[in-house]
Amino acid sequence: MTTPLVVVGCGGHGREVSTIARAMDAGTGQPRWHLLGFVDDRPAEENIKRVHQLDLPYLGGIAWLRDAPTDTHHVIGIGDPRVRRAVGRRVDGYGTPAASVVHPAATIGPDTEYGPGFVAFAGARVTTNVTIGRHVHLNQNATVGHDSTLADYVSVNPLAAVSGDCHLAEGVLIGTTAAVLQGLRVGRDSTVGAGACVVRDVPDGVVVKGVPAR
Ligand SMILES: CC(C)(COP(=O)(O)OP(=O)(O)OC[C@H]1O[C@@H](n2cnc3c(N)ncnc32)[C@H](O)[C@@H]1OP(=O)(O)O)[C@@H](O)C(=O)NCCC(=O)NCCS
């Protein structure tokens, strides 16, 4: 069965998300998604052009989803975890279900559980006994080790490595190429800077950077 799908956000991240949905269907002969297009409250003109380059329409503001055709699903294509959370809460009120998109070149352990709105880019790797919440995004070549938990609205940016037994609380951003060593907790809404190495627990609501991360 083909499911109508709308991407929320027509910036670079959102357009990348649309390409994951397309990659899932490439060569299958039985498309899973019918990409309807993008919604965005404040799209830059250049991004509307880029959406058209993908042969997809800009449908209108996010409220378009409120009156969307029955069965329409959405996926939030916004990289910043806290902006994604704000938009996600609003869209939840419209009642269109969130879809998860997993690139065929991602590997997700068979005993991994993930919530709606999960996005796994090409090369993302999740091993075993990992629990992933709602609207979590794993960017290209991000890795997550055994027995970790990623709460709602976490983003792990390209090439970042989350070791085994880690806990990333809601709204955490792990920057590009950063490492979180085994068994550590990163607190709610905290940011780990690009290239950082986290060697001890990170409290809630802070930014840490550098090696070791401070
Ligand atoms: C760490 C981070 C959150 C800081 O953002 P910010 O508060 O806006 O920081 P600024 O750009 O104002 O820089 C503040 C200082 O931190 C330094 N800095 C910025 N990012 C840094 C990083 N990742 N590692 C080490 N130092 C960093 C800057 O050089 C600057 O130093 P200075 O005061 O000596 O000049 C951000 O730079 C970062 O790394 N974000 C992750 C980005 C990412 O993953 N992008 C990929 C998208 S797919």
Side-chain angles (χ1 to χ4, degrees):
M1 203 181 86
T2 306
T3 303
L5 180 66
V6 171
V7 180
V8 182
C10 55
H13 193 80
R15 285 177 284 112
E16 288 178 335
V17 168
S18 77
T19 68
I20 297 173
R22 279 199 169 146
M24 288 171 78
D25 284 344
T28 60
Q30 277 194 320
R32 170 147 184 212
W33 304 116
H34 172 209
L35 265 170
L36 298 180
F38 291 78
V39 295
D40 193 318
D41 279 350
R42 284 187 297 276
E45 274 305 313
E46 62 195 4
N47 284 338
I48 293 182
K49 284 192 195 132
R50 289 167 177 156
V51 158
H52 292 153
Q53 269 169 229
L54 293 169
D55 284 329
L56 288 167
Y58 165 64
L59 300 166
I62 296 173
W64 186 94
L65 286 168
R66 198 173 36 208
D67 306 311
T70 328
D71 289 349
T72 302
H73 284 51
H74 72 276
V75 59
I76 304 180
I78 296 173
D80 183 303
R82 293 131 220 171
V83 177
R84 190 161 71 247
R85 177 171 59 203
V87 169
R89 287 183 176 159
R90 185 175 150 204
V91 173
D92 280 346
Y94 298 156
T96 59
S100 293
V101 292
V102 175
H103 195 285
T107 54
I108 308 297
D111 56 350
T112 297
E113 287 178 20
Y114 54 82
F118 176 54
V119 175
F121 283 65
R125 309 266 179 238
V126 177
T127 61
T128 182
N129 189 36
V130 174
T131 305
I132 295 176
R134 296 163 52 80
H135 298 289
V136 168
H137 287 201
L138 302 182
N139 215 306
Q140 299 180 76
N141 300 307
T143 61
V144 180
H146 61 87
D147 308 313
S148 289
T149 57
L150 278 59
D152 298 347
Y153 302 105
V154 163
S155 284
V156 185
N157 279 351
L159 284 162
V162 177
S163 307
D165 252 327
C166 287
H167 177 72
L168 308 184
E170 182 178 312
V172 161
L173 172 74
I174 307 294
T176 297
T177 74
V180 182
L181 300 193
Q182 66 279 5
L184 297 178
R185 181 181 193 284
V186 180
R188 185 185 162 100
D189 291 344
S190 284
T191 297
V192 173
C197 183
V198 175
V199 301
R200 55 177 66 90
D201 286 352
V202 174
D204 293 351
V206 298
V207 175
V208 295
K209 58 195 174 186
V211 180
R214 295 184 203 286

